[in-house]
Amino acid sequence: MTADPFRVLRIEDMLLLHVEVVNLRREGARLVREDPTAPALVLLHSPSQHMSEGVLSGGQFPETVPAFASGRSTLVFLLPDGEDGIDLTVGALLDWNRLIPTIVPADQPRDDPNEPALFDGIPRTAIEFPTRVLLGHDHDGSGFAWSDPLIDPVTLDGRAELWHVELSGAAGGPVHLKAFAEASGRPPRTGMPLDPTVPGDLVALTSLDEFVGPDGALLRRPLLADRFMLTPLGATVRMSGSWPIAPGFSSVSLTGYEHIASLGRDQFVHTVRHGFLSSGHPASFVETTKRFYDDPGDGTSVAYLRKEAHIVVDQAEVTYGAGAGYDQHQGRQLPFRSMRLTDTITPVVDLGAGAFWVTVGGVPLQFHATATDAEGRHVTMDMPLVFAFSDALDRMAGVYNNPATADRTNLGLGGQTVAMAENPSADGSTSMPVTSARFTLTSASGHPAGVLPAMVDAVARVPAVEQLTGLATDTAVRLHDAYLRQGLDGQPTGAFLHLVDKLPMSLSAEKAGGLAKPSTAVQVVTTQAGLLAPNFVGAAGEAAGVDSATLARIFEGTKLLGPVDLADLLADVPATSVAELKDLGEDEIRRRLDGVSQELLPVPLMRVGNLLDGSGSELRYVWKPRLRNDFPLLDLSAAALVLEATTVRSPDALSKSSVRGELRRFAFVFADVVRVDFERLTFTARPGSKPDVTAAGVAVTFEKALEFVNQLREALPADGFGSGAFVDVSTSGITAGYSLTLPTLSLGMFNLSNVALSARLTIPFDDAPARFRFAVSERQNPFNISVSMFGGGGFFALEVSTRGRGIEQIEGSLEFGGNASLDLGVASGGVHLMAGIAFQMTGDSVTLTGYVRCGGYLSVLGIVSITVEFYLALTYHKDNGICEVVGQGSVTVSVRVAFFSKSVSLSLERRFAGSAGDPSFTDCMALDDFVELCEGYAA
């Protein structure tokens, strides 16, 4: 029968062991093996060997601190084969080198999850140190031995030495220990010297043989104890361990551990746990707990544990870009290609768990860093960072990207120049002063941290924007999607930045020359075209075709020759035309900008450069768009349009802008009756001088209904804008034309005089339409014609415009008649007869009037006179679809006898409404009457 448990107690040196035996029975003063074929074991349970004590936070000295004793430790020994028993004496029970220690086997699961030290039916040695960590001899085959036990108490001057026993390694070296289990079923504790994750990490790092590196090398390392002594009051230990970083074991963060304790009380605890900073730098979180002796002020001495934490940057410089491990865009989402942290060891930081912002006293710690951009330029910055332990990397992005701490991700760069995109030519076209940049963490499964920084947006001084606006101002930008997806090599326009807010781009009408008022909004910064509207760049970076409907939205409000929308004249821009930009070298682009090359520029190009004489910089904005020919008032079948704006700025910030517009081979076609052809119309506006307008190859042709006017061309100059013509330019527009008065023509009894021919073309700079007016004499100054005793006169005028309806006004009149008189001495008299017709069409209003006026007089001896005046007029008027005919007539008779005279006048007017003036059915019948009528028939 197995012997009952018993205790070994010695008061003098405080020896206390609780003894259990297996397969041993008591026979007198001896324990004898019961079953010779079964193992016989001696289990020695010692009191708690470690006290876990709370650390002191701040400078306060609390009256009490939390402390928790570890569980008991158990030493298990096997009775050697061939021995039938063991003497029941203190000396025999403490002679541990004669017994066989039990070791936790490798790669063998425990028998019972609730019994962490039971393997293959045999309990194993389990020393709980530190608290919640079960230690045993390592199974690597290294030798170890226990010191000779104190069989009898050692006394001196009435004092006994505390009982103790020490474990040492082979040849007196450090003993190899392993943590094979973590004590379970204990409540969670915080504020202790060891982080709660450390016990589990110690188990994995010291006992798992599957803990291997990428090359298959074993990474498991035992704990090395220079001193490992057990006493009734606790263990006196000095042990340490270090382990390499294992990429395949992300749940393990511990890489270094050192522990010094005296009689179960901690004196020094040092842990190094691996992790990453949000910048991608591998780093270690170093926690050091020390016992400090101090005087709280009452004359006593206290010894508290204080913990300090530091972060040590394990790798000062990291690289970004294509090989860094980004899941998308090959690292183009970050303008930097490397970053070096200057502060490789931080001051004392606040404690944290999982993933947390690195703070000192609650204030984010600013890490000083030097980043290198794509062109090798160094950029310095101070930035707060998040640290995450290796087992909490999945939480880093959530902490860093938390909107509540968004201000920490916005870094000030102080206007340092940064290459925002990687340009293979490294010509500085993507570099600009950056005031600040906001970052985020994005997925990078190819990097050990799992995430890497990316730029969300930035505030920068974009040179193209500054040159356009003339203001040194900050602009909010972000990297363009096309650049992120394709880079600069993969897209024709070289788009790399997207302005957060659209930038209105407009020139005043007087600067734009009336040819075009380039009002649009640009939002894309490119290397090939300067600033562009966003529609010219595809989302995936491909060459994007732009249809006319999109152009209408881009250039909404942009006018050509007055109210004509430029967008109505722009043809679709095919993707193939945009793609040509990729193959155009800088020399060819310059040729096209300078007008040497006649090829079209499919997108507006902007170029910024320094003047050759060093007197300043120059901004050029040039576009040679493709035109379509379906606008009713313009013939653009062979037309070509060039728009150019140039701004020169001197070092003293003064700016001078000039605008040039040229429209070639086009014609105004007004109502299919008048055609004005232009070979070239050029407008140039330079600072300090009035606008300069030149026109060449102008020809006026009358067609169809007015073709007869061409017979008069022999009386016109060969070039309507040559000698005798006029061109007036003002801030309101251009007026060009001619006015020619023909000489009086007399042929026998025929006489023609006061004939004036005039033509006037007006191109306003505002939104008013362009107008053309042709006239033969004028209402206030009609031409005159007479044949013998008959005579008359008239005028004709035609005005058309680029407004949608074309013809604005047509008016004219013609009057003819005669008069005769007779004098017989006694009596005299005369008669006259005049008839005329006048017409006027203004917009939708038409008026046509015909009239007859006749009369006569008779005088007898100057005593009696009779005068009769007869007038009859008929007017047809149509306005807004309503027609009306008005007839007017009057008769006036005057009689004078001597000194008496009397006049009588009779007049009559009648109006006749046309079909549009007849009453409608609804005018004739009320709604109630109509309903009653319908109901009557329904009945």
Side-chain angles (χ1 to χ4, degrees):
M1 181 178 183
T2 301
D4 294 333
F6 58 92
R7 290 183 179 178
V8 175
L9 176 60
R10 194 163 62 199
I11 297 177
E12 293 87 348
D13 56 4
M14 302 183 66
L15 170 63
L16 175 60
L17 294 174
H18 184 79
V19 183
E20 290 185 74
V21 296
V22 176
N23 196 28
L24 290 172
R25 69 178 187 275
R26 183 174 180 180
E27 291 185 357
R30 188 174 173 81
L31 295 174
V32 180
R33 190 191 299 261
E34 285 190 301
D35 183 357
T37 62
L41 293 91
V42 177
L43 287 71
L44 303 176
H45 304 289
S46 70
S48 173
Q49 294 297 308
H50 183 244
M51 182 68 68
S52 183
E53 182 180 333
V55 297
L56 186 68
S57 60
Q60 301 298 321
F61 294 97
E63 294 183 2
T64 60
V65 294
F68 306 95
S70 66
R72 68 182 185 180
S73 296
T74 302
L75 303 179
V76 181
F77 298 96
L78 283 168
L79 198 65
D81 293 339
E83 293 191 12
D84 60 349
I86 182 175
D87 294 337
L88 195 56
T89 63
V90 173
L93 292 175
L94 297 182
D95 191 4
W96 298 342
N97 290 321
R98 188 176 66 86
L99 302 176
I100 300 175
T102 58
I103 297 176
V104 174
D107 300 328
Q108 183 174 335
R110 57 177 58 95
D111 296 351
D112 186 349
N114 297 321
E115 296 289 342
L118 186 63
F119 292 85
D120 197 19
I122 298 176
R124 312 290 172 147
T125 294
I127 303 172
E128 186 172 343
F129 185 93
T131 302
R132 304 193 180 190
V133 177
L134 301 183
L135 296 179
H137 310 294
D138 190 48
H139 60 267
D140 60 1
S142 61
F144 60 89
W146 291 97
S147 62
D148 294 334
L150 297 178
I151 305 302
D152 298 312
V154 178
T155 60
L156 179 64
D157 298 332
R159 296 181 180 181
E161 181 181 353
L162 183 67
W163 182 88
H164 60 277
V165 65
E166 188 171 357
L167 182 64
S168 60
V175 63
H176 292 196
L177 302 174
K178 71 175 179 181
F180 63 86
E182 181 180 2
S184 59
R186 312 275 181 90
R189 307 291 186 196
T190 58
M192 300 292 118
L194 289 180
D195 187 86
T197 63
V198 171
D201 287 359
L202 286 173
V203 172
L205 294 169
T206 62
S207 63
L208 295 182
D209 284 336
E210 59 267 27
F211 186 51
V212 296
D215 57 355
L218 183 65
L219 300 179
R220 182 185 72 83
R221 301 286 189 273
L223 288 168
L224 303 180
D226 296 325
R227 189 168 202 186
F228 197 85
M229 178 188 294
L230 303 181
T231 75
L233 297 181
T236 296
V237 174
R238 183 169 61 246
M239 67 178 180
S240 62
S242 62
W243 302 271
I245 299 171
F249 287 79
S250 59
S251 61
V252 177
S253 63
L254 189 67
T255 59
Y257 170 66
E258 185 176 358
H259 204 141
I260 300 175
S262 297
L263 300 179
R265 303 289 297 276
D266 292 330
Q267 304 298 319
F268 179 84
V269 181
H270 180 82
T271 58
V272 180
R273 288 186 289 158
H274 181 260
F276 285 89
L277 293 167
S278 51
S279 57
H281 289 80
S284 296
F285 194 80
V286 180
E287 291 180 279
T288 302
T289 302
K290 297 180 180 179
R291 188 172 296 278
F292 287 88
Y293 293 86
D294 208 340
D295 183 357
D298 57 1
T300 62
S301 181
V302 295
Y304 289 104
L305 290 177
R306 292 181 182 272
K307 180 187 285 190
E308 293 183 349
H310 302 263
I311 291 179
V312 178
V313 179
D314 298 329
Q315 180 181 330
E317 184 171 356
V318 297
T319 58
Y320 306 113
Y326 285 93
D327 289 348
Q328 291 182 321
H329 310 320
Q330 298 182 356
R332 285 186 290 268
Q333 57 267 61
L334 186 68
F336 306 125
R337 289 299 163 260
S338 67
M339 182 180 292
R340 172 177 289 275
L341 293 181
T342 305
D343 306 319
T344 56
I345 301 178
T346 70
V348 177
V349 299
D350 299 332
L351 299 176
F356 54 91
W357 286 98
V358 181
T359 59
V360 176
V363 179
L365 175 64
Q366 300 291 330
F367 286 80
H368 185 71
T370 300
T372 303
D373 67 8
E375 295 181 356
R377 190 179 293 107
H378 296 308
V379 181
T380 60
M381 66 190 79
D382 293 323
M383 56 183 177
L385 296 174
V386 169
F387 179 85
F389 293 104
S390 297
D391 55 354
L393 294 176
D394 56 341
R395 286 178 270 170
M396 181 188 288
V399 173
Y400 189 89
N401 299 336
N402 188 346
T405 55
D407 59 315
R408 301 181 182 181
T409 64
N410 193 24
L411 306 183
L413 299 182
Q416 298 176 86
T417 300
V418 179
M420 301 296 282
E422 187 170 3
N423 190 353
S425 63
D427 57 3
S429 59
T430 66
S431 300
M432 60 195 64
V434 179
T435 302
S436 63
R438 186 162 57 97
F439 296 90
T440 186
L441 290 185
T442 188
S443 177
S445 58
H447 190 274
V451 290
L452 283 173
M455 189 180 76
V456 177
D457 50 36
V459 176
R461 290 174 51 188
V462 183
V465 173
E466 290 187 353
Q467 291 290 343
L468 180 62
T469 62
L471 300 175
T473 183
D474 288 336
T475 303
V477 298
R478 61 175 175 82
L479 293 174
H480 198 280
D481 290 341
Y483 169 71
L484 292 177
R485 297 183 183 185
Q486 299 291 332
L488 291 181
D489 278 346
Q491 46 160 330
T493 61
F496 68 97
L497 278 186
H498 185 94
L499 305 184
V500 174
D501 298 317
K502 289 184 178 180
L503 177 65
M505 175 181 166
S506 62
L507 296 172
S508 60
E510 62 271 15
K511 285 187 177 181
L515 281 181
K517 179 184 176 183
S519 300
T520 183
V522 292
Q523 202 169 12
V524 181
V525 184
T526 72
T527 58
Q528 288 289 86
L531 289 173
L532 274 180
N535 306 79
F536 288 99
V537 183
E542 75 281 3
V546 183
D547 56 28
S548 56
T550 303
L551 288 173
R553 291 193 296 271
I554 297 175
F555 295 97
E556 182 179 1
T558 302
K559 302 299 182 181
L560 178 71
L561 298 171
V564 179
D565 285 332
L566 177 63
D568 293 339
L569 308 181
L570 297 176
D572 296 347
V573 179
T576 53
S577 295
V578 181
E580 292 176 0
L581 286 178
K582 181 180 179 182
D583 301 324
L584 295 181
E586 188 64 24
D587 292 341
E588 177 60 22
I589 290 178
R590 290 291 178 186
R591 280 170 45 82
R592 296 192 183 191
L593 290 177
D594 295 338
V596 178
S597 174
Q598 297 301 319
E599 289 87 353
L600 296 174
L601 291 173
V603 300
L605 294 187
M606 179 177 290
R607 280 294 183 274
V608 179
N610 294 324
L611 297 177
L612 295 178
D613 58 3
S615 60
S617 61
E618 178 186 63
L619 166 73
R620 298 186 64 196
Y621 184 84
V622 182
W623 190 23
K624 300 179 181 179
R626 189 187 305 271
L627 303 177
R628 70 174 190 260
N629 186 35
D630 56 2
F631 196 80
L633 300 179
L634 290 173
D635 181 2
L636 301 175
S637 57
L641 176 64
V642 178
L643 301 175
E644 178 178 0
T646 302
T647 301
V648 176
R649 291 191 173 87
S650 59
D652 55 4
L654 296 177
S655 62
K656 298 179 181 180
S657 298
S658 61
V659 176
R660 183 180 73 90
E662 183 175 283
L663 186 60
R664 296 190 177 203
R665 300 182 297 279
F666 73 100
F668 284 101
V669 181
F670 297 103
D672 291 333
V673 295
V674 178
R675 179 184 178 93
V676 183
D677 286 278
F678 287 80
E679 177 61 28
R680 183 176 68 253
L681 181 61
T682 303
F683 182 96
T684 304
R686 296 182 178 88
S689 61
K690 64 181 294 184
D692 180 24
V693 177
T694 59
V698 182
V700 180
T701 306
F702 297 94
E703 300 176 340
K704 295 185 179 180
L706 297 181
E707 189 173 4
F708 69 92
V709 181
N710 291 325
Q711 302 299 322
L712 301 176
R713 291 182 62 86
E714 294 181 359
L716 301 177
D719 187 342
F721 292 95
S723 175
F726 62 87
V727 177
D728 295 329
V729 179
S730 66
T731 57
S732 60
I734 306 170
T735 302
Y738 56 85
S739 179
L740 180 65
T741 300
L742 300 181
T744 300
L745 180 64
S746 298
L747 295 173
M749 292 186 297
F750 176 81
N751 185 70
L752 178 65
S753 63
N754 202 33
V755 178
L757 301 177
S758 64
R760 177 186 297 264
L761 177 64
T762 302
I763 303 175
F765 291 159
D766 54 17
D767 290 339
R771 297 177 181 273
F772 175 79
R773 177 179 175 85
F774 174 79
V776 179
S777 298
E778 295 288 350
R779 178 196 297 271
Q780 68 274 13
N781 191 19
F783 63 82
N784 298 317
I785 185 172
S786 65
V787 179
S788 184
M789 67 177 180
F790 301 101
F795 78 96
F796 171 79
L798 169 68
E799 184 173 324
V800 291
S801 75
T802 55
R803 201 184 301 275
R805 56 177 175 263
I807 297 178
E808 293 283 334
Q809 186 181 64
I810 300 178
E811 62 177 346
S813 69
L814 183 64
E815 186 178 60
F816 198 81
N819 59 67
S821 63
L822 180 66
D823 188 355
L824 299 177
V826 178
S828 62
V831 296
H832 66 272
L833 174 66
M834 298 295 293
I837 184 170
F839 63 92
Q840 183 181 48
M841 182 178 70
T842 303
D844 295 329
S845 177
V846 178
T847 301
L848 177 64
T849 301
Y851 67 92
V852 175
R853 185 174 68 248
C854 61
Y857 70 93
L858 175 64
S859 175
V860 179
L861 299 176
I863 299 175
V864 179
S865 298
I866 299 175
T867 302
V868 179
E869 179 75 20
F870 174 78
Y871 176 78
L872 177 65
L874 186 64
T875 300
Y876 170 79
H877 181 70
K878 181 178 181 181
D879 191 8
N880 294 326
I882 299 177
C883 303
E884 186 180 34
V885 176
V886 180
Q888 295 176 317
S890 65
V891 176
T892 302
V893 178
S894 298
V895 178
R896 183 175 65 85
V897 177
F899 298 103
F900 172 80
S901 65
K902 180 68 174 180
S903 295
V904 178
S905 179
L906 300 176
S907 62
L908 176 68
E909 180 178 289
R910 289 291 183 269
R911 294 177 178 271
F912 305 93
S915 58
D918 295 335
S920 64
F921 180 77
T922 56
D923 295 331
C924 299
M925 177 169 287
L927 178 61
D928 293 341
D929 295 336
F930 179 73
V931 173
E932 183 179 353
L933 177 64
C934 293
E935 291 177 347
Y937 280 101

